[in-house]
Amino acid sequence: MTISLFIEQILNGLQFGVMLFLMSAGLTLVFGVMGLINLAHGSFYMIGAFAAALFAELTGSFMIAMIASFVAALFAGALTELIIIRKIYKRDHLDQVLATFALILLFSEGIRWIFGAYPLYLDIPNSLSSSFNLPFEIIYSKYRMMIILVGIIIAIILYFLISKTLIGIRIKAGQNDREMIGALGVDVTKLYTIVFSLGAALAGLAGALIGAIQSVEVGMGEPVLILAFVVIVIGGIGSIKGAFVGALLVGITDTMGRFLLPSFFSYFFDNASATSIGSSIASMSIYILMATVLIFKPSGLYGGKND
Amino acid sequence: MIKEEKLNLIILLVLFVIPFLAYLFNEPYLTTLTTKIVILSIAGIGLNFILGYGGLVSFGHAAFFGIGGYVTGILASHAQNSEQMFFFLQFDGSNQILFIWLISIIICSFIALLIGYFSLRTSGVYFIMITLAFAQMLYYFSISWPAYGGEDGLSIYVRNVFPFFNTMNPINFYFICFTWLLIFLTILKIILNSSFGLVLKACKENEERVKSIGINPFKIKLISFVFSGAITGLAGSLYTDLNRFVSPSVLSWQMSGEIMVLVILGGVARLYGPILGAVFYIILEQTLGGISENWQFWLGLIIILEVLYARAGIMSLFLKDSKS
């Protein structure tokens, strides 16, 4: 195993991690501020990817496609919040799980209705389709590098948004005491709509960015959604910092597990069974990580209260 | 508008009569469908025991449903091609359904003990997520483990053998499942009326008070979790025999969601709720599926309307003394 391959895998893990962060940021805020378990968050990821594929087809511009994904998911999020989600904030988790589970069915079938059952393809723009040469003879895809950069930039923007701006202060206050900020004259209903749609928009952007590497299809959001839940539970629900750390942990654990475990087991078993055992355990690794974190810190790495 | 006991009796009576009607009108498919309803009901009442009465929202019951299913599939497949099962043990599976049930229940209880032991340290949304994570772990394991079909699943061709009955006859198999439903309903009714059931319900209401009278709520919840897992696991075992096939989809989170949906649709914390939920779910699937390719869209819409406007579940629509 060469060092360059190793670093390349670390970068892949990082890319996977920042993408998970885009997905988890909204999820963790929506849970932290509104106390809502949103299973339908993966649907916004899917909507973003489909919007990007559609606009890339229409305009031929990758940039416009990315903006379209953000805007489409933003609107889908706002609409969902206004029509359905705001009615279930005060319900118990059970009702929320059921209603958002139903929303997944609505969105998935709705998209299948409009776009058909076949996957769409979104191409990487020509300017980013080549590779970089990095030190240590590492060759790395420009596009994946761009995803890492976009993810980090958004993480920094979110950090400033939460810690330095008025809306960020309101979001944090909302996590601590919803009644009180309402009494202080903050329009809580509007705040909720903004947080929910912003989270949806970030998920949509993540879907579009990944859609260019993988295919754009119905049901693409749910596997990522489950990973995002793992991320926010590891990081501690409601914490953006936790989501960032959790996302990188999950991204790197998953990628490195798939990369290292098969060769690790080949010291003990023959090659074929080492590959199958290694990949079986690698696919479970992040869930093992999550269970371990929860056993030692029942409310996640940066989580405050348990619930 | 009737009393709950009466409604329960009607539900059982209808379930009892349907396969005979199906036989009379020569519609064997209806019997298979009703068998599916009964099996999903068993899985549902297993979940409802902890979700409805104990307030433990497990989003990972597919783990038990799937393990029960895979234990059945694996034992049967070894018996059929008489391959030795473990390299250290002279054992080549079994196709005796009674034995398979026993093993399924034992293994599911053991897995539930493990999952419960770790998950029950958390509560609220963390509990939902950690149970989901355990189920996902098993799901991905089943996909990437090639020995038993991996992603393609495992076929067992013929149903396992029950003494004196031919299980390949749909009506015989139906009544085996129906008997299990009756057995679990009876056991659960006894448990829920016992002091144990009372403490479990008390854990849902106020855990601190349970502690203050000297009872360890963790123990109560763990025992209930194991019991619930065993019931759902047995349902999974029956499901494999019904389809003569098991695949990773029985371990998927959609399966957990489906079991949960039918519990909530029927009415949480009502013993017969999941049965009505399963009936309603399968009817929807069949009728909507016949009308439109995108039947799940309409299913989603109906569930949302149900959550927003008919919160107590379908059971309550029929009942006079609706609990609020």
Side-chain angles (χ1 to χ4, degrees), chain A residues 31 37 91 94 98 101-102 104-106 109 113 222 229 233 237 280 283-284 287 290 294-295 298-299 306, chain B residues 51 57 118 125-126 129-130 133 136-137 140-141 144-145 253 261 264 294 296-297 300 304 307-308 311:
Chain A
F31 191 83
I37 301 182
R91 301 288 188 81
L94 209 58
L98 191 60
F101 182 80
I104 295 180
L105 299 179
L106 279 185
E109 290 306 315
W113 223 335
E222 277 66 52
F229 272 121
V233 168
I237 291 170
S280 308
S283 59
M284 296 162 67
Y287 299 103
M290 166 174 164
L294 281 192
I295 288 161
S299 44
N306 190 353
Chain B
L51 188 149
V57 184
F118 292 117
V125 70
Y126 287 95
M129 291 306 146
I130 197 169
Q136 286 295 105
M137 234 187 252
Y140 284 112
F141 188 76
S144 50
W145 188 257
W253 74 283
V261 163
I264 306 173
N294 309 83
Q296 290 201 322
F297 183 87
I304 287 184
V307 176
L308 293 182
R311 294 176 57 188

Side-chain angles (χ1 to χ4, degrees), chain A:
Chain A
M1 180 195 325
T2 57
I3 187 107
S4 62
L5 198 60
F6 188 79
I7 294 178
E8 195 187 314
Q9 291 297 330
I10 295 253
L11 285 173
N12 278 341
L14 211 60
Q15 176 257 307
F16 188 34
V18 295
M19 194 275 308
L20 282 177
F21 170 70
L22 289 186
M23 190 65 188
S24 324
L27 207 57
T28 200
L29 280 185
V30 165
F31 191 83
V33 180
M34 291 92 112
L36 174 85
I37 301 182
N38 181 19
L39 295 182
H41 202 63
S43 300
F44 300 124
Y45 177 89
M46 174 182 71
I47 287 171
F50 271 90
L54 180 69
F55 275 85
E57 183 76 38
L58 289 177
T59 64
S61 156
F62 188 75
M63 203 59 210
I64 292 179
M66 289 301 116
I67 294 168
S69 74
F70 190 86
V71 174
L74 188 80
F75 274 105
L79 225 79
T80 316
E81 205 274 346
L82 289 173
I83 298 172
I84 293 158
I85 298 289
R86 62 170 47 179
K87 296 197 172 106
I88 57 171
Y89 287 139
K90 293 217 170 103
R91 301 288 188 81
D92 58 12
H93 293 327
L94 209 58
D95 280 356
Q96 296 175 348
V97 166
L98 191 60
T100 50
F101 182 80
L103 275 175
I104 295 180
L105 299 179
L106 279 185
F107 281 124
S108 297
E109 290 306 315
I111 291 275
R112 207 195 303 271
W113 223 335
I114 300 169
F115 290 92
Y118 299 101
L120 303 180
Y121 293 95
L122 180 63
D123 289 324
I124 297 174
N126 283 331
S127 54
L128 291 172
S129 59
S130 53
S131 302
F132 271 119
N133 287 319
L134 296 172
F136 300 108
E137 296 174 20
I138 301 163
I139 300 166
Y140 200 69
S141 146
K142 275 186 189 165
Y143 185 74
R144 283 176 190 267
M145 202 52 134
M146 190 270 297
I147 295 184
I148 297 178
L149 286 180
V150 169
I152 290 175
I153 291 168
I154 289 178
I156 294 170
I157 295 175
L158 271 183
Y159 175 76
F160 278 104
L161 188 75
I162 299 284
S163 61
K164 302 280 188 253
T165 64
L166 187 62
I167 185 161
I169 290 166
R170 284 178 175 165
I171 289 173
K172 275 200 286 188
Q175 285 178 327
N176 285 325
D177 196 333
R178 316 179 207 192
E179 275 82 28
M180 188 54 93
I181 63 160
L184 289 171
V186 175
D187 188 345
V188 181
T189 335
K190 206 157 98 195
L191 181 72
Y192 285 6
T193 313
I194 293 172
V195 172
F196 191 89
S197 345
L198 202 66
L202 287 179
L205 183 64
L209 286 169
I210 292 306
I213 309 180
Q214 295 162 4
S215 65
V216 177
E217 58 192 334
V218 173
M220 65 188 285
E222 277 66 52
V224 189
L225 170 84
I226 306 272
L227 293 181
F229 272 121
V230 173
V231 165
I232 68 171
V233 168
I234 288 178
I237 291 170
S239 159
I240 284 281
K241 194 164 135 198
F244 189 71
V245 175
L248 293 190
L249 263 179
V250 167
I252 289 178
T253 308
D254 187 68
T255 313
M256 294 319 274
R258 280 171 211 287
F259 173 55
L260 293 177
L261 282 176
S263 43
F264 172 74
F265 279 104
S266 64
Y267 288 111
F268 308 103
F269 303 98
D270 60 280
N271 256 334
S273 40
T275 314
S276 79
I277 295 172
S279 58
S280 308
I281 296 187
S283 59
M284 296 162 67
S285 60
I286 55 164
Y287 299 103
I288 298 172
L289 176 73
M290 166 174 164
T292 319
V293 168
L294 281 192
I295 288 161
F296 291 105
K297 294 198 81 155
S299 44
L301 295 175
Y302 295 91
K305 47 194 179 190
N306 190 353
D307 194 10

Side-chain angles (χ1 to χ4, degrees), chain B residues 248-260:
Chain B
S249 71
V250 289
L251 283 163
S252 67
W253 74 283
Q254 283 92 341
M255 190 72 227
S256 298
E258 208 169 291
I259 300 175
M260 199 191 264

